[in-house]
Amino acid sequence: MAFKFPETNWQALLSPERATWQSLDVFFQVAQPRAQEVWADMGCGPGYFTLPLAERVHKVYALDSSPWMLERCRERAVAQGYGNVETRPCEETAIPLPDKSVDVSLLANLVHELLQPQAFLAAVGRITRARVHVIDWHPVPSPAGPPLVDRLPKDQVIDLLTGLGFVLVQDAPVYPYHYFLTFRPPASVTPG
């Protein structure tokens, strides 16, 4: 059973402390979002990355399996006037977006929660045209995050994605407790 973040603790995902070890400025330096792009923020939670992305790109699909988290993200987007954020429920076996409909997919602090990683990552490859950013926890002690036993080592995540045909294009060692990997999606991906 994979670790699942407790949704009722959603405000912890927006705490100022998070910016000290998962800075949005650093994220934008590495990710280089462009104004014309459409992004999918997979496992968006309350929108830590979603809303700042909405300032910089054409559209952001905010996807999560938790209706509670999607509602928090939607409320925050509406309150801050982001009309280019569209929330959608998402399951590991089905991402409700058409093939190659987004330029960039972001999987931040998500891969360690997946129960069916191959099927989900194949679906991410199906919907993504240009880049997939994977940010997840190193299995080292940290001030927050899932239990160490539930964290996936970087090499395991790289092997998982490259085994599905993704191509690693960048490994940016910019966060103290997370790896930040960028992949090019395969032209077509089928679940393994």
Side-chain angles (χ1 to χ4, degrees), residues 3-14 43-47 64-73 75-76 90-91 113:
F3 172 84
K4 296 288 185 182
F5 186 85
E7 61 187 21
T8 54
N9 197 24
W10 68 272
Q11 290 178 322
L13 298 175
L14 303 172
C44 64
D64 206 295
S65 62
S66 164
W68 175 276
M69 289 292 196
L70 282 177
E71 186 58 20
R72 302 296 79 74
C73 186
E75 289 170 352
R76 294 181 65 241
C90 178
E91 297 300 327
E113 291 194 7

Side-chain angles (χ1 to χ4, degrees), residues 55-143:
E55 293 178 13
R56 292 165 172 81
V57 302
H58 177 68
K59 182 171 187 164
V60 181
Y61 288 104
L63 299 109
D64 206 295
S65 62
S66 164
W68 175 276
M69 289 292 196
L70 282 177
E71 186 58 20
R72 302 296 79 74
C73 186
R74 188 196 66 73
E75 289 170 352
R76 294 181 65 241
V78 168
Q80 295 180 37
Y82 293 116
N84 61 338
V85 173
E86 184 176 330
T87 57
R88 290 197 179 184
C90 178
E91 297 300 327
E92 284 191 40
T93 54
I95 298 175
L97 293 172
D99 291 0
K100 303 302 179 194
S101 58
V102 301
D103 298 294
V104 185
S105 288
L106 171 63
L107 287 72
N109 308 320
L110 177 66
V111 174
H112 71 273
E113 291 194 7
L114 298 175
L115 298 172
Q116 300 176 54
Q118 287 187 315
F120 185 79
L121 294 168
V124 169
R126 177 187 62 76
I127 68 165
T128 310
R129 287 189 290 261
R131 300 184 310 285
V132 175
H133 297 296
V134 176
I135 302 169
D136 220 308
W137 298 90
H138 285 296
V140 299
S142 58

